[in-house]
Every structure is written in C-alpha cells, then in structure tokens.
Amino acid sequence: MRPEFLLRREHFGSLAYSRRSHRFFAFDEHATEIFSMAARGEGRDVLARPWPFSREELDEFLDEARVLGLLGDDLALRAEVRPDRSSPGVLSAPLRIYWGVTYKCNARCRHCLADAGKRAPGELTTRQMIAVADELEALGVCEVTLGGGEPLTRPDILPFIEALRTRGIEVELTTNAFLVTRPLARELNALALRHVDVSFDGASTETFDAVRGPGTFVKALKGLRVLCDEMACGVEMHVTGMRPVLDELPALADLARDVGCRGIGFLKVRPVGRLREHPELLISPGEFVRAVTRLEELCDARGLSGPTDLHLEELPGKDLFVNFGCVGGNTTCWIDGTGSVAPCSYYQYLDARYVGGSLKERPLKEIWDRSAPFARVRALRPNRKCARCRYLNTCRAGCRVLGMIYHGRPNAPDPYCVAEPDDAVFEAFLLKGRSRRDRAILP
C-alpha cells in the first residue's frame, strides 16, 4: 500500500500530492528542509534547530502538517519521496499528462480534433508504453488521463492502466463507451480509477447520431448506464459545446441524473481537426457562456456537479507557475498515440511545430525541460486586455490555442473568456472563412 502523499522537490521548495483528495500542496524551502530532516529520521532535531521564524510559527506549521497527514506525531515523514530533479523556474515534471493512447476509433465524429479512425503507423507498443510509465513514476507525475481515439480499442488498455496504478499514478479514462460491457466495467472498477468521463453529444438519437455517426446514441447510452452501475469512482457526462446540443441541455441533465452520472462537463469547442470543415457546429462565446450558466442551473436542480467555467474566483490558483498562459506546457502536457509530446493536444493538431519531441527518441524530462515549443509557451507575455483583468491570476488568460485561432497570436485574448466574451471576433472569424485554412503563428 503506497502512502497517501507523494513528495517531490521543486525550484520553489517542494510539492506534495494527496492520492486521496487529489490536491496539490506547495511548500517553500524552509518547509522542504523540515520534510527532508523528517525523511532522514531527524524529525525531533527540527525543534532544536534555529529557523528564521518564531517557535510559535514552527509549532503551527508542524501541527498543520500532522493534521494534513504529511508528518506523524513522532515527526516522521509520511510520504513517498522522489529524488531531486528540480529545474530552475519550471516544475520538475508535469503534474498531469493527457495521453491519447491510439488514433484508432470506432466513431467518426464531425468535431474530432485528432481526425481519429484508423490506428496510426508507429503507435507505441505495450512495452514502450510501460517504459514511459516507468519514467512517469520516477519523475513523480501524479495523474494521467487516457483518451484517444478510443482507448478501449487497444487490447492492452487494461494491463496498461494496471501498470500505471501499480506505479502510484492516478488514472482517469475518457471514452465514448461504445465497447463497454458489464464484465469490462467491473474490470475497470477493480483498477480503482479516479473517475471516468463519457463523451456524450446529444440527448436524442437524431442529435447524437448526426454528430457521432449512425447508431452511436444507442451504443453510448448503453455503455454509460453500465459504467454508472459499476464504477465506484463516479462517471461524468462530457458534452462538447456545439450548436446541436444547445436545445437539449435540460434533456441532457435529466438523462445524466436518471442514469446515475456524478455530473456534466461542458467543453469549449475549438475549430481544430475535422471541425475546421464544420463551422456550422460552432457556437459564439456569448452562447457558450449562456449555455454554461443554464447547464449549471440545471445541474444544481438535479444534484449534479456542473461546469465550473463561470466561477473564476473559485478556480484553483494555478500558483505553481508564474508566467502568462494556461496550464498546457506549464503543469500539464500531451502525449499522442505515437509518442509525440506537446504542451496540449490542441497545440499539436493546430500546428505540428508545437510538438516538442518523440518519446521514442528523447526522455519526457528532456522534452519537458529543454524543447523549444515548451519554452515558447512559457515565455508568452500578457496582452493588454488580460493584463488588466482581475481574474488573470486565477484563469491565466484562458485557452492560448483559441487566441492563436481567432487572433493569430498565442498570447492574444481567448474570445471565450467568461468575464468578457467576444462575439465580434467570432463573427469576423466566420466571415473570413478561417475555419478552413487557419495556420498558427509562432511567437
């Protein structure tokens, strides 16, 4: 049984991750030295050592660490500690990795950013994926979200999830649920996933099948019901914010409640991949904000967790990096089915120049620390609109890829900003027809 906490050294001190609450805790150099002494069996010496703060403040910190569970009553460290791999000015490794384990998919969704369908040449083998899992464990990567394509089309997906779990990594699964059977759901449940997200774009056969293909609504709904029945971790319905679903939000909320979902996520849509050819599916920033507001009300009334996009003052502080921009490339990254690594999936599929390297050729740590695309996204300077916004330190200016798509600059405002949605730039984008020919502009 692994300890609840994982502790790793960072440029600001150290970072602790709770596998129980899935929370991150940042500590300064003094707290880190206290933990180091506790790990060496010198916890009692902490009380005798001089510190640049009062004994009262020291006692208060030790009490908080005991309550948290990082220290025992005997001041012994209760955490799994990773060797010091800290890097100046950047996290030593991603906190979470989004991993599209295959391009193979049993649907042909009109909005698929990866243009998934057939298995791609050169996809990582089971052995290669396990080798990456070994590196993730060594680096102290805390969480992995598995997607695709459709991850359940990989015959080795269950053993791979088990490999991640035995290495102490929390796993989330994103699936269309077409292949879910009751025995498979029970196997997934036995692996103690953090949670499962089911992509679900419509509450009716007509709407759903028009987006994802004939016969898909029935298959998805059957799989969703089974997952809700069998998964102790909870299941969330993930709805892509497209025009066909706007009139079905009440029905989607009813459906989510009736089948036993924990909540509903409402995802920003980005004209990347196949969606470039289907601008009629896009909704304006104003429509997005109104839909999120409406869906939140619907979820509250049904006891479901709902979208959090509107609660900028309540979002996690994202205080583990100080530069301008979203979490992509700063606290998270993306791996595709062939082992390519990018700050996020949208960066890769919008412009391949944002791929930092391949795991077949370079370790993740080297790509994370030294590749030019990751350096670019970490060097972005704030635009004037975001720089003066009171939510900057919490939202970090929203999606940088949306800035690239709609303005041609990765540091430009996200038009889907919930504080100031920009319908004018959206309408101009549609008029120019850029959804069919947009190209990213590197900073």
Side-chain angles (χ1 to χ4, degrees):
M1 183 80 175
R2 289 180 180 264
E4 175 188 344
F5 285 97
L6 174 68
L7 188 69
R8 68 187 211 191
R9 197 75 163 80
E10 298 296 346
H11 63 91
F12 49 78
S14 59
L15 181 73
Y17 172 70
S18 168
R19 295 180 171 118
R20 179 178 57 83
S21 68
H22 307 116
R23 292 178 61 195
F24 298 97
F25 302 88
F27 297 97
D28 65 14
E29 289 285 356
H30 299 307
T32 301
E33 178 57 24
I34 290 172
F35 293 145
S36 296
M37 293 178 69
R40 296 193 299 265
E42 302 169 3
R44 293 298 177 186
D45 296 338
V46 168
L47 301 175
R49 174 172 169 168
W51 298 97
F53 40 81
S54 69
R55 174 59 185 266
E56 182 180 352
E57 290 172 313
L58 173 62
D59 289 342
E60 183 179 352
F61 170 75
L62 295 177
D63 286 344
E64 290 176 353
R66 289 189 189 100
V67 171
L68 192 60
L70 267 169
L71 292 177
D73 291 337
D74 57 354
L75 297 186
L77 184 67
R78 295 179 174 177
E80 188 176 333
V81 182
R82 291 292 177 267
D84 185 354
R85 293 183 175 85
S86 56
S87 305
V90 63
L91 288 179
S92 63
L95 304 178
R96 171 183 288 195
I97 288 176
Y98 295 89
W99 193 339
V101 293
T102 183
Y103 282 90
K104 185 176 180 180
C105 191
N106 48 2
R108 189 71 181 172
C109 303
R110 295 166 69 193
H111 58 292
C112 180
L113 79 158
D115 195 21
K118 294 182 179 179
R119 180 183 173 93
E123 288 194 356
L124 296 178
T125 64
T126 306
R127 180 175 295 181
Q128 289 171 323
M129 291 171 67
I130 297 295
V132 175
D134 287 336
E135 185 182 5
L136 303 189
E137 179 186 22
L139 292 174
V141 172
C142 307
E143 301 172 347
V144 171
T145 297
L146 299 176
E150 171 49 49
L152 296 182
T153 62
R154 280 197 70 124
D156 59 357
I157 191 63
L158 292 176
F160 180 59
I161 293 174
E162 184 176 15
L164 292 170
R165 297 295 294 121
T166 59
R167 286 159 176 77
I169 298 169
E170 297 294 302
V171 178
E172 299 179 7
L173 179 69
T174 298
T175 175
N176 60 30
F178 297 177
L179 297 176
V180 172
T181 61
R182 202 161 295 277
L184 175 60
R186 289 172 178 167
E187 288 188 88
L188 287 170
N189 185 57
L191 293 171
L193 302 184
R194 179 179 172 183
H195 68 79
V196 176
D197 301 322
V198 176
S199 303
F200 215 87
D201 294 324
S204 66
T205 300
E206 180 182 9
T207 299
F208 197 106
D209 288 9
V211 172
R212 292 185 170 263
T216 55
F217 177 72
V218 171
K219 290 188 287 187
L221 181 57
K222 180 180 178 181
L224 177 64
R225 290 184 187 278
V226 171
L227 288 169
C228 289
D229 286 346
E230 300 293 342
M231 299 300 297
C233 63
V235 178
E236 189 166 282
M237 179 187 286
H238 271 199
V239 179
T240 308
M242 297 181 292
R243 187 159 304 284
V245 304
L246 291 184
D247 291 334
E248 296 194 352
L249 296 182
L252 281 165
D254 286 341
L255 181 60
R257 176 200 58 200
D258 293 345
V259 301
C261 287
R262 182 176 63 184
I264 302 178
F266 195 72
L267 311 180
K268 282 184 184 179
V269 68
R270 298 157 178 87
V272 179
R274 290 190 199 127
L275 198 52
R276 291 176 176 175
E277 305 304 320
H278 296 286
E280 72 279 2
L281 298 179
L282 297 174
I283 61 174
S284 71
E287 288 174 310
F288 173 79
V289 172
R290 290 189 291 275
V292 171
T293 303
R294 176 64 173 141
L295 188 56
E296 185 178 66
E297 294 169 350
L298 293 166
C299 287
D300 285 346
R302 291 159 178 79
L304 303 170
S305 64
T308 58
D309 302 68
L310 297 184
H311 295 281
L312 291 176
E313 70 280 3
E314 298 176 10
L315 289 175
K318 298 185 176 68
D319 54 358
L320 298 177
F321 64 100
V322 296
N323 45 295
F324 175 81
C326 64
V327 294
N330 287 296
T331 65
T332 68
C333 74
W334 160 260
I335 302 172
D336 83 346
T338 67
S340 294
V341 181
C344 81
S345 57
Y346 295 102
Y347 271 115
Q348 174 176 347
Y349 298 125
L350 182 65
D351 193 320
R353 291 174 293 176
Y354 276 94
V355 173
S358 170
L359 294 175
K360 296 175 183 176
E361 301 167 358
R362 303 168 68 188
L364 176 65
K365 174 68 171 171
E366 183 179 326
I367 297 171
W368 176 261
D369 281 353
R370 303 177 191 173
S371 68
F374 281 80
R376 282 191 209 106
V377 301
R378 294 167 186 159
L380 294 175
R381 304 287 301 215
N383 60 75
R384 283 186 289 181
K385 176 182 177 181
C386 293
R388 69 173 187 265
C389 179
R390 67 191 179 100
Y391 294 120
L392 177 60
N393 289 333
T394 48
C395 91
R396 295 292 177 155
C399 176
R400 299 297 82 234
V401 167
L402 284 169
M404 293 165 67
I405 291 170
Y406 286 95
H407 296 281
R409 306 187 311 279
N411 69 330
D414 177 351
Y416 287 80
C417 164
V418 298
E420 294 184 40
D422 191 344
D423 282 357
V425 73
F426 172 80
E427 295 298 334
F429 173 83
L430 293 183
L431 287 174
K432 292 177 182 177
R434 291 187 62 192
S435 59
R436 296 182 179 273
R437 56 184 175 82
D438 62 291
R439 292 296 300 168
I441 300 175
L442 291 172

